[in-house]
Amino acid sequence: MQTNKRINGIIIGLAGLILLILVGLVFYMFQGTTSASQAAQAQAAVDSLFTDESHNYLNPEYSKEKLATTQKQIKKVGFLDRSNYQSQVQQAEKLYQGLSDLDQVFEGNQIKDRGVAIPKLADLAVKVGVDQALLEQQSQNLEGIAQTGTGQDLKSLYQDVTNLIDAKAGVMEQVKALPEINDDFDSLSQAAQAVANFSDTYANYLKQGLYKDVQDQLNQYGQKVGQMIVEYPTALDQNPNLLDLLKNTPSLALGLKDSQYEKHLQVSLTFDDGPNDEFTPQLLDVMNKYGVKGTFFLMGAYVDEYPEMTKRIVDEGHYLGNHTYNHFDLHDLTDEEVKTQFEWTNMAIEEATGTRPKMYRMPFGGGGERVYNLMADSGMESILWNLDSLDWKTQDRDMIVEEVMNDLQEHSLILMHDTNQATVDAIDILIPKLQEMGYEFVSPLDIDFELRYFPE
Ligand SMILES: [Zn+2]
């Protein structure tokens, strides 16, 4: 009986084991393998996380919800096949994490979308003065890439950002390495030179927001150096070059504030070849908006055509100049003809406004000493310029603005023309910029710059 019982026990145990194996087999057949339709659904769910079949680009609509839905689909797949789908999902999660991390580099700006990321990066690169050609090449490489990046692209984006940050850290180190400030004239002069060199070398960087703390550091240092130099009696009077250096280096110029050497910024806006009824009124409107006065060098022929526009210029407080009647090249005219060109114009202006202009400008700036001498008794002053906006040539708003800003001096007499829309648009940008910089808008007769004729 004992033996039978034991045998029974073994049989029951074996049966249980066989049952377990059978159940396991059934489970394996139903759960471990995957039907074709389950596989297709799971793959579709995984694919929906990307924009391309090779899974190089993350779907911009990738989200935690979308991820959860995909995970659900994968769970329906036989467990033996799951890891394949799981690893594809992990690829998506990695890409997402990478892009999110990059977002943080850009202080939370949304750059997951590739279309946003590249201009942002380009923008940042321009700000820190990265080579334009390189940047263009980079944009071309990225052209045609879907909204989000591949791991490879990400890597290079990271590298770019890292480089930008490293570059800035390097510049910051440079500014902190400026010589220690000692209160003796020679070392102060050397420190001033060091500031000027630094500003020169890093001019492109310092303009930009990313480098603001570098600029702050430089300003602090430069202001102190400037102030200490000003405190040396007569030092600047005896060192005009050093004074120029201080005036022309913004951070050093901070130290001149409230001293007798403080920079006195002046600008004269002059517009030739009008008046007309299209651009002249627009220019007047823009200048009125900012409350500044400009000078119009008028052609007599157009004054006769637009006497009311001529009167409006005077009525609104602007200055008038004589730019001859027909704008001939004065080299081609006899002495008598030159005088007639100016006299006819004065008559036209007087008829339209009741006043005679106090200035004249030679067409094309040409005529030289001969014309200057011919006009010596006219009671008018010859006015030329030290800054050609090239508006007549470029006829492009941004190029005009750039030309003026690049050539700007302490006393800038600017040549422009009220004959094209780009000038009007540029003036609308330039006036507030100049005002912000502290420029005073003056008549060419009051500016601290004199050029009566170009040597010929
Ligand atoms: Zn002209």
Side-chain angles (χ1 to χ4, degrees):
M1 288 305 279
Q2 286 284 336
T3 320
N4 276 352
K5 261 188 188 168
R6 191 180 288 166
I7 288 171
N8 280 345
I10 290 169
I11 287 171
I12 289 168
L14 273 175
L17 195 66
I18 287 165
L19 195 70
L20 226 108
I21 289 168
L22 277 175
V23 168
L25 268 174
V26 169
F27 181 81
Y28 179 84
M29 282 174 73
F30 284 95
Q31 293 296 313
T33 60
T34 309
S35 74
S37 78
Q38 279 171 336
Q41 274 173 14
Q43 192 57 57
V46 171
D47 285 348
S48 77
L49 300 176
F50 301 88
T51 55
D52 62 323
E53 277 181 36
S54 320
H55 295 184
N56 277 322
Y57 306 112
L58 194 70
N59 187 340
E61 274 150 35
Y62 177 96
S63 64
K64 289 258 141 65
E65 292 72 37
K66 211 170 170 62
L67 190 66
T69 315
T70 306
Q71 300 280 26
K72 227 182 250 175
Q73 284 295 338
I74 290 175
K75 275 187 189 142
K76 289 180 189 167
V77 168
F79 58 80
L80 290 180
D81 294 325
R82 275 180 208 163
S83 65
N84 167 35
Y85 298 103
Q86 292 288 12
S87 73
Q88 296 183 60
V89 168
Q90 272 165 18
Q91 167 73 1
E93 284 179 302
K94 265 188 219 159
L95 280 180
Y96 183 78
Q97 191 53 50
L99 288 163
S100 302
D101 290 351
L102 202 62
D103 265 0
Q104 288 185 347
V105 177
F106 286 91
E107 294 171 347
N109 290 317
Q110 289 299 309
I111 72 156
K112 291 187 193 75
D113 185 284
R114 201 74 165 132
V116 179
I118 297 318
K120 271 242 176 287
L121 188 73
D123 190 36
L124 192 64
V126 168
K127 278 180 184 163
V128 297
V130 165
D131 183 277
Q132 280 286 349
L134 181 77
L135 199 67
E136 267 166 42
Q137 189 197 336
Q138 216 172 41
S139 325
Q140 266 170 18
N141 292 344
L142 295 162
E143 222 171 272
I145 291 181
Q147 289 100 322
T148 49
T150 62
Q152 196 54 46
D153 292 335
L154 263 178
K155 222 169 96 184
S156 83
L157 266 176
Y158 266 119
Q159 195 52 55
D160 293 339
V161 175
T162 309
N163 291 346
L164 298 180
I165 290 166
D166 286 353
K168 188 193 155 185
V171 177
M172 187 53 123
E173 251 170 61
Q174 296 277 336
V175 78
K176 287 187 169 158
L178 285 168
E180 204 178 309
I181 301 175
N182 294 314
D183 194 6
D184 74 87
F185 188 71
D186 280 349
S187 60
L188 284 173
S189 304
Q190 280 163 18
Q193 189 59 56
V195 171
N197 292 346
F198 183 92
S199 306
D200 245 21
T201 309
Y202 297 107
N204 287 336
Y205 296 67
L206 293 170
K207 276 184 221 163
Q208 306 305 335
L210 188 72
Y211 278 74
K212 196 186 167 299
D213 43 353
V214 175
Q215 180 72 65
D216 288 347
Q217 186 87 18
L218 185 68
N219 284 349
Q220 221 178 345
Y221 181 92
Q223 181 170 13
K224 196 167 169 195
V225 170
Q227 275 168 346
M228 287 173 78
I229 289 177
V230 167
E231 281 161 18
Y232 272 83
T234 71
L236 284 177
D237 298 327
Q238 287 159 13
N239 292 278
N241 289 341
L242 182 61
L243 180 58
D244 275 351
L245 192 74
L246 260 58
K247 280 188 169 186
N248 295 323
T249 311
S251 45
L252 293 169
L254 292 172
L256 300 180
K257 212 169 167 351
D258 299 328
S259 79
Q260 56 173 312
Y261 304 108
E262 187 171 4
K263 207 166 170 177
H264 189 47
L265 300 170
Q266 290 180 318
V267 64
S268 281
L269 304 176
T270 67
F271 306 99
D272 290 8
D273 302 356
N276 53 69
D277 62 357
E278 189 177 359
F279 306 113
T280 311
Q282 288 190 65
L283 269 173
L284 291 170
D285 289 346
V286 173
M287 283 194 286
N288 288 344
K289 181 166 84 177
Y290 297 109
V292 306
K293 306 299 177 201
T295 305
F296 291 81
F297 285 97
L298 306 177
M299 284 171 54
Y302 293 143
V303 172
D304 279 340
E305 203 174 330
Y306 303 103
E308 282 175 12
M309 191 53 62
T310 308
K311 183 146 194 320
R312 186 183 155 189
I313 296 172
V314 175
D315 287 349
E316 295 182 2
H318 301 279
Y319 315 108
L320 281 192
N322 181 326
H323 197 39
T324 73
Y325 199 84
N326 300 105
H327 210 281
F328 294 135
D329 185 339
L330 298 183
H331 297 100
D332 301 336
L333 304 188
T334 65
D335 290 358
E336 259 333 288
E337 285 168 334
V338 168
K339 287 185 177 178
T340 305
Q341 278 288 315
F342 283 114
E343 185 46 33
W344 283 354
T345 305
N346 277 351
M347 285 162 61
I349 290 175
E350 188 163 14
E351 197 177 308
T353 68
T355 59
R356 285 172 79 90
K358 297 187 175 67
M359 298 171 256
Y360 73 92
R361 177 174 279 166
M362 305 174 203
F364 315 106
E369 192 170 5
R370 171 189 162 234
V371 172
Y372 178 73
N373 287 335
L374 277 175
M375 299 298 291
D377 298 329
S378 67
M380 294 189 291
E381 196 58 84
S382 174
I383 302 292
L384 288 165
W385 59 84
N386 62 2
L387 200 171
D388 185 350
S389 70
L390 298 177
D391 63 340
W392 51 276
K393 194 164 148 191
T394 62
Q395 303 206 7
D396 179 279
R397 183 195 70 178
D398 294 343
M399 289 172 85
I400 296 169
V401 170
E402 197 184 324
E403 190 70 35
V404 170
M405 294 311 288
N406 283 343
D407 288 359
L408 215 51
Q409 301 165 46
E410 187 174 351
H411 308 114
S412 295
L413 210 171
I414 305 180
L415 170 68
M416 282 177 282
H417 298 79
D418 49 335
T419 53
N420 71 85
Q421 188 62 43
T423 301
V424 177
D425 298 340
I427 275 295
D428 203 1
I429 295 173
L430 283 168
I431 292 175
K433 267 186 197 269
L434 294 169
Q435 284 179 324
E436 197 184 324
M437 291 168 79
Y439 273 89
E440 185 191 356
F441 290 75
V442 297
S443 149
L445 293 171
D446 295 331
I447 198 166
D448 195 4
F449 166 77
E450 233 180 64
L451 180 60
R452 300 310 177 205
Y453 53 87
F454 287 118
E456 298 192 334

